[in-house]
Amino acid sequence: MNAPLLIAITLPHFFDNEGERISALLQSEVFDRVHLRKPGGEEREMRNLIESIPPRLHSRLSMHDFHEVAADYGCGIHLNARNPEPPEGFNGIISRSCHALSEISTHTAEDYLFLSPIYPSISKPGYRPGFDISSLKGKVTRRIIALGGITPDNLTETLSIGFGGVAMLGTIWEEDRKGRMSALLKTLLKLKCFNS
């Protein structure tokens, strides 16, 4: 079995030293990709963020907005309700958000798909799943990435359902805010190795 894909998603706002934090996540051996999700941001802010990250890591970034500049940096793109189609001729990594099992079968061209929320969301209070996780066994493949309420406590259970990996937002930035990022990364690395 291949190692599960672990993806970090940024907070929706920009903050000081964010490029350093993102670089540390990518260099930790824990996270394979970081999704830059800044729905209210400006293009110049996004360019500044990407340029604060070493160019050798740019291919491991995916942009939720400003898809037209992704090719300038060799980044992937993520499709969502705001940006449902890739720019013409884009040939990098493409992912997409899905919120129901029925959506998965309609999107076959993307490299991977997010299915959310799997558990009650940490970053969006009140955002709850429309299905029980056990009902997903046999219905998801390694191309599907679980998102929503993922923590170290439920990561192994989530992967046992058949997901190819997990995406995390709330857990990462909550632990970072509390000064516990190093401990979180150690725990996640053990879990990643255990589930490989």
Side-chain angles (χ1 to χ4, degrees), residues 13-60:
H13 61 275
F14 294 91
F15 60 88
D16 291 342
N17 302 315
E18 187 171 10
E20 290 176 25
R21 296 289 216 308
I22 291 169
S23 299
L25 291 174
L26 289 171
Q27 294 173 115
S28 69
E29 299 182 47
V30 174
F31 289 98
D32 302 286
R33 299 192 65 74
V34 172
H35 278 230
L36 307 177
R37 182 183 173 275
K38 307 289 186 184
E42 301 290 331
E43 180 180 327
R44 183 70 255 164
E45 291 176 300
M46 185 62 79
R47 286 184 180 272
N48 288 343
L49 176 59
I50 295 170
E51 289 167 9
S52 72
I53 297 166
R56 64 187 169 77
L57 300 175
H58 290 177
S59 64
R60 293 169 61 195

Side-chain angles (χ1 to χ4, degrees), residues 104-194:
I104 290 171
S105 60
T106 65
H107 299 295
T108 57
E110 294 82 358
D111 294 282
Y112 58 90
L113 303 171
F114 285 171
L115 180 62
S116 70
I118 301 303
Y119 302 99
S121 175
I122 295 166
S123 62
K124 298 177 182 175
Y127 188 43
R128 304 186 66 78
F131 38 71
D132 180 84
I133 188 165
S134 61
S135 70
L136 300 176
K137 194 162 184 84
K139 298 178 183 173
V140 296
T141 66
R142 305 251 330 141
R143 191 170 157 259
I144 312 305
I145 305 301
L147 169 64
I150 305 296
T151 69
D153 293 335
N154 60 31
L155 190 145
T156 297
E157 174 193 20
T158 304
L159 294 173
S160 74
I161 299 297
F163 288 99
V166 299
M168 304 173 85
L169 192 167
T171 295
I172 295 169
W173 302 110
E174 183 65 18
E175 293 303 293
D176 185 56
R177 185 182 66 78
K178 293 176 179 176
R180 299 195 303 228
M181 181 63 82
S182 179
L184 174 66
L185 292 175
K186 284 179 187 172
T187 300
L188 290 174
L189 184 57
K190 286 179 188 171
L191 288 167
K192 187 174 186 177
C193 293
F194 175 77

Side-chain angles (χ1 to χ4, degrees), residues 54-119:
R56 64 187 169 77
L57 300 175
H58 290 177
S59 64
R60 293 169 61 195
L61 301 172
S62 285
M63 300 173 65
H64 285 223
D65 297 284
F66 310 109
H67 290 169
E68 63 282 357
V69 302
D72 295 349
Y73 300 98
C75 299
I77 61 171
H78 184 79
L79 306 177
N80 51 40
R82 291 187 311 280
N83 302 290
E85 298 297 327
E88 190 171 332
F90 184 82
N91 61 3
I93 288 180
I94 300 176
S95 57
R96 179 184 295 273
S97 294
C98 295
H99 302 288
L101 280 173
S102 58
E103 289 181 72
I104 290 171
S105 60
T106 65
H107 299 295
T108 57
E110 294 82 358
D111 294 282
Y112 58 90
L113 303 171
F114 285 171
L115 180 62
S116 70
I118 301 303
Y119 302 99

